[in-house]
Amino acid sequence: MSPTESRDKIYYLKSLFRELRKELEIQIPRASARLPAVPSEDEIQRFYEAVWKARKFADMVLIKTLFYTGVRISELVNVRLSDVDLERCQIRINRGKGDKDRVVPFPPAFRELLGMHMQHMQQRSAIYVFESSRRRKYSDRGVRKMLARYAAAAGITRSMSPHKWRHFLFTWLKKQGIDDALIQPYSGHESRESLEIYSRLSIAEAQREYDQVIGKFPIQ
């Protein structure tokens, strides 16, 4: 049998089996999607303990902002002082992933600490919430290195990408009983199936749910 005849036979058999499955209504189970590894509560507490021991105020505020809001690092480094609403406990993310704007909440208990940091930055005539002493906004790479440094100090040996720390918040909120439709408006995720539902939800409704549970978050 020639190679061409062999390929034709394989194609015919595949087509035959496909038609038989349709006729007999046989469903082939698909492999389930792998869930990303999420840090445990113990790991996140150990991580923050390493941050606390370092006594670097700006690092502490940055990491709390990252953990409380679940924003991407690329979004965090572009947050301007004018994007933060301390009264409403909200941060506006401009042109996030997908070139979309959104609003994310942070805990009322974090307002004073974030406000102190912002006041210090304003005194330095900063534009961004997180800037170096040379008045340059933090870089994506610089924040990633910071996170890796604290993970090492905490004795966390397995790989913990920034995306996994971000995913911890949304997984944790879901465990508290918050519906996906309420998490989505500030997560920056999209679901085509639920897009119509999401579009009818306001950030105020989502934030009420967030405020009710965030006081139990592993780091305070």
Side-chain angles (χ1 to χ4, degrees), residues 33-48:
R34 276 186 82 183
L35 294 173
V38 179
S40 65
E41 288 198 16
D42 175 68
E43 285 173 324
I44 201 169
Q45 287 169 341
R46 282 163 47 204
F47 181 95
Y48 186 69

Side-chain angles (χ1 to χ4, degrees), residues 72 97 100 184 187-195 198:
R72 300 174 179 89
K97 188 174 181 180
K100 295 179 180 179
Q184 191 277 339
S187 72
H189 291 144
E190 267 192 12
S191 170
R192 287 178 295 177
E193 293 80 6
S194 303
L195 195 56
Y198 295 154

Side-chain angles (χ1 to χ4, degrees), residues 64-189:
K64 279 196 167 189
T65 303
L66 196 66
F67 284 1
Y68 285 149
T69 63
V71 296
R72 300 174 179 89
I73 291 180
S74 58
E75 297 168 338
L76 180 73
V77 296
N78 284 303
V79 173
R80 297 170 182 254
L81 291 168
S82 58
D83 294 329
V84 181
D85 187 332
L86 289 173
E87 184 177 347
R88 290 189 174 88
C89 295
Q90 294 176 352
I91 299 174
R92 182 175 181 81
I93 303 299
N94 297 299
R95 302 186 69 177
K97 188 174 181 180
D99 204 29
K100 295 179 180 179
D101 298 346
R102 71 184 190 281
V103 173
V104 297
F106 58 83
F110 182 51
R111 176 167 38 203
E112 184 176 356
L113 194 69
L114 180 58
M116 288 171 59
H117 172 76
M118 289 176 60
Q119 185 177 31
H120 176 66
M121 300 306 290
Q122 286 165 346
Q123 290 170 351
R124 288 170 43 186
S125 300
I127 295 174
Y128 296 92
V129 175
F130 300 106
E131 287 188 9
S132 69
S133 57
R134 298 179 181 179
R135 293 186 60 186
R136 293 180 180 175
K137 69 176 182 178
Y138 281 19
S139 68
D140 188 300
R141 183 181 179 187
V143 175
R144 289 173 186 273
K145 288 176 70 174
M146 178 196 298
L147 293 174
R149 187 171 66 250
Y150 283 122
I156 298 172
T157 55
R158 63 173 175 148
S159 174
M160 282 297 167
S161 68
H163 177 75
K164 291 175 183 176
W165 293 116
R166 159 182 158 82
H167 193 70
F168 176 87
L169 171 67
F170 305 126
T171 303
W172 183 85
L173 288 172
K174 189 164 183 176
K175 286 179 181 178
Q176 307 310 304
I178 296 185
D179 190 85
D180 287 342
L182 289 168
I183 296 173
Q184 191 277 339
Y186 49 80
S187 72
H189 291 144

